Amino acid sequence: LEFRPTASPSLIKKTSSVKSVSVLEPLSQTYLKLPENSMLVLDVAQPFSTYLWQDGSQADTFLVDSDTVAYVTVFGVCDTVSDTIVVLVDAPASIQLPPDTSLCNQSDFTINASVSGSGILLWSDSTIGATSITVDQSGVYTLNVINGCGVFSDSIAVDLVFTPGSTLLPPDTVQCFDVPLLVQRPLNDSTQYFWQDSSSLEIFEVDSSMVLTLTALNNCGVTTDTMRITFNGEIKTELGEDTTVCDKDSIQLFGTDSLASYFWSTGDTTDTIWTTPDQDELYVVTVTLSQCQKVESKRVTASEAACPNINCSLEYSNVFTPNGDGINDRFVITSNCDVFSFDMAIYNRWGQLVDYSRNVSFGWDGYVNGEPASTGVYYFVVEYKDWVVVDADRQITRGSFTLMR
């Protein structure tokens, strides 16, 4: 007694012949594409079996070289099974795309392909199955046809070029800072750009007032644009940082540009103001210079704790001798304070004003209207203010001295 195996339900084993080329995998278990001019051997050999093909042949192999539906029945000792395979023969595909194309002022272009032979059509933009596509960007486009004979391709370069637009540069501008202005030209591979100095840099640096010119050139035309750049000059102020001052003090706030106009939050329109803050004050100034404007502010806090102890004293001689000997020729008052302002009036014994001075270091030389003053007693009145605390130490001092010759 001999036990024999049951025949496999999947019978056909594909064996390529001498002339066959690479065989694509079937799209299903029963479908196979075969390149043109190649042969395929279907082998169904089973032990202790007989065979019957669709054409009546009884060999254990079957040769395929054309479109065929191959069907075989295998008669085994224990059972009978059948299998089928569809074989299609492909020919090489032929593709022809238009020549490389450059178009002016056209938003899109339709690429029509001439294809002979069967296969799957796949474009480089992922379009499948179409013999034409419409493109709206410059680039290289490729069509692939895929069949049992391999992959067949053709490409076309499409350049969609537009006449350069009339606006190449930003609008006219005023530079309000003392730093160079960087102007960038458009970026377009199909267009050449030239500044007025014939350079083609992507960024042009401007450091003074000028009319900037940029020319764009491509296959479709030429365009020139200009940009007027005015350097206005940087606005500068010296308000400084926020500060705390004596609550009896005044403070000076000032700008530095006599050509600019000023508007303070106090309503003043001068470049410099004196102000006495009330507890906590925010001073804001708007400075305008030609076409530029700058706003700055300074907070001033008034505090009694910020007031220094002031103990100013005046020193002067009670006799002076304006005789030209270089010794004690002037009546001069000095102070141990940092004097901010000084007013001195000198009177004769009849109360007539004989001299007035705002210069603390000059004093009186003993002359009245170019004539020597007479010997005698004179009286003075001095008003002075310390620089540190302007209002807190405003003082008036009176006294007398003798002029001797």
Side-chain angles (χ1 to χ4, degrees):
L1 178 64
E2 182 179 2
F3 291 95
R4 296 174 182 171
T6 302
S8 171
S10 180
L11 298 171
I12 299 177
K13 296 175 285 183
K14 300 174 286 291
T15 305
S16 59
S17 67
V18 177
K19 296 180 62 178
S20 68
V21 295
S22 62
V23 179
L24 296 181
E25 288 297 323
L27 299 180
S28 70
Q29 289 184 347
T30 59
Y31 182 85
L32 182 66
K33 299 194 84 174
L34 183 67
E36 188 181 42
N37 299 323
S38 62
M39 292 179 293
L40 182 67
V41 176
L42 303 179
D43 184 358
V44 293
Q46 303 280 336
F48 309 105
S49 300
T50 59
Y51 315 95
L52 179 64
W53 295 89
Q54 79 280 355
D55 64 350
S57 60
Q58 298 180 355
D60 59 1
T61 60
F62 189 84
L63 180 64
V64 179
D65 60 2
S66 61
D67 292 349
T68 303
V69 178
Y71 178 87
V72 65
T73 299
V74 179
F75 304 94
V77 174
C78 298
D79 58 6
T80 299
V81 295
S82 299
D83 200 3
T84 303
I85 185 171
V86 179
V87 179
L88 299 178
V89 178
D90 274 344
S94 174
I95 310 171
Q96 185 173 3
L97 295 179
D100 293 346
T101 301
S102 179
L103 302 171
C104 281
N105 302 319
Q106 187 168 319
S107 60
D108 57 39
F109 176 66
T110 298
I111 305 173
N112 293 302
S114 176
V115 180
S116 64
S118 61
I120 300 173
L121 278 64
L122 176 62
W123 293 85
S124 54
D125 68 349
S126 299
T127 299
I128 299 175
T131 58
S132 66
I133 58 171
T134 299
V135 299
D136 58 6
Q137 293 183 352
S138 297
V140 177
Y141 296 88
T142 301
L143 173 60
N144 298 302
V145 177
I146 306 169
N147 65 21
C149 297
V151 179
F152 305 88
S153 302
D154 194 12
S155 298
I156 176 176
V158 178
D159 194 11
L160 300 178
V161 183
F162 292 85
T163 302
S166 59
T167 303
L168 304 174
L169 295 173
D172 296 347
T173 188
V174 175
Q175 178 72 335
C176 295
F177 304 96
D178 292 335
V179 294
L181 181 66
L182 303 180
V183 181
Q184 183 172 0
R185 64 167 175 79
L187 301 177
N188 190 330
D189 293 339
S190 64
T191 302
Q192 292 180 295
Y193 296 92
F194 300 97
W195 302 98
Q196 70 262 37
D197 64 355
S198 298
S199 68
S200 57
L201 300 173
E202 289 186 8
I203 297 177
F204 195 92
E205 182 177 301
V206 181
D207 57 8
S208 60
S209 297
M210 67 179 302
V211 177
L212 186 63
T213 302
L214 178 64
T215 299
L217 169 67
N218 63 23
N219 294 334
C220 297
V222 179
T223 300
T224 298
D225 192 15
T226 59
M227 174 186 181
R228 183 177 297 277
I229 302 172
T230 303
F231 274 73
N232 189 86
E234 187 167 358
I235 297 175
K236 298 179 180 179
T237 58
E238 294 187 8
L239 295 186
E241 302 294 330
D242 295 349
T243 188
T244 300
V245 299
C246 175
D247 60 359
K248 299 180 179 63
D249 199 1
S250 296
I251 188 170
Q252 185 184 39
L253 305 175
F254 54 90
T256 59
D257 195 331
S258 60
L259 299 178
S261 62
Y262 296 80
F263 183 78
W264 298 85
S265 54
T266 60
D268 294 289
T269 57
T270 56
D271 59 352
T272 302
I273 63 170
W274 278 100
T275 182
T276 302
D278 182 14
Q279 293 185 345
D280 188 83
E281 296 282 350
L282 179 65
Y283 296 95
V284 181
V285 61
T286 301
V287 187
T288 303
L289 178 63
S290 186
Q291 301 179 61
C292 295
Q293 198 171 76
K294 183 177 183 180
V295 178
E296 283 202 353
S297 64
K298 180 173 183 175
R299 185 172 297 278
V300 181
T301 302
S303 171
E304 183 179 1
C307 299
N309 294 323
I310 303 299
N311 185 19
C312 292
S313 63
L314 297 183
E315 297 179 0
Y316 59 92
S317 173
N318 59 0
V319 176
F320 87 110
T321 57
N323 54 16
D325 63 357
I327 301 174
N328 199 23
D329 282 339
R330 290 180 178 275
F331 175 72
V332 178
I333 293 179
T334 60
S335 174
N336 59 356
C337 291
D338 186 6
V339 175
F340 165 70
S341 65
F342 176 91
D343 296 90
M344 182 176 69
I346 299 176
Y347 302 89
N348 60 21
R349 58 185 176 176
W350 294 284
Q352 297 172 324
L353 180 67
V354 296
D355 187 70
Y356 175 79
S357 175
R358 303 193 68 177
N359 189 333
V360 68
S361 62
F362 184 76
W364 183 39
D365 62 359
Y367 283 78
V368 179
N369 296 325
E371 298 293 331
S374 60
T375 301
V377 177
Y378 291 83
Y379 304 88
F380 67 88
V381 178
V382 173
E383 181 178 353
Y384 62 95
K385 307 168 193 175
D386 183 78
W387 176 264
V388 177
V389 184
V390 175
D391 294 331
D393 67 333
R394 190 188 302 267
Q395 297 189 31
I396 296 178
T397 299
R398 294 178 173 87
S400 64
F401 62 89
T402 300
L403 185 155
M404 300 181 61
R405 294 189 181 275

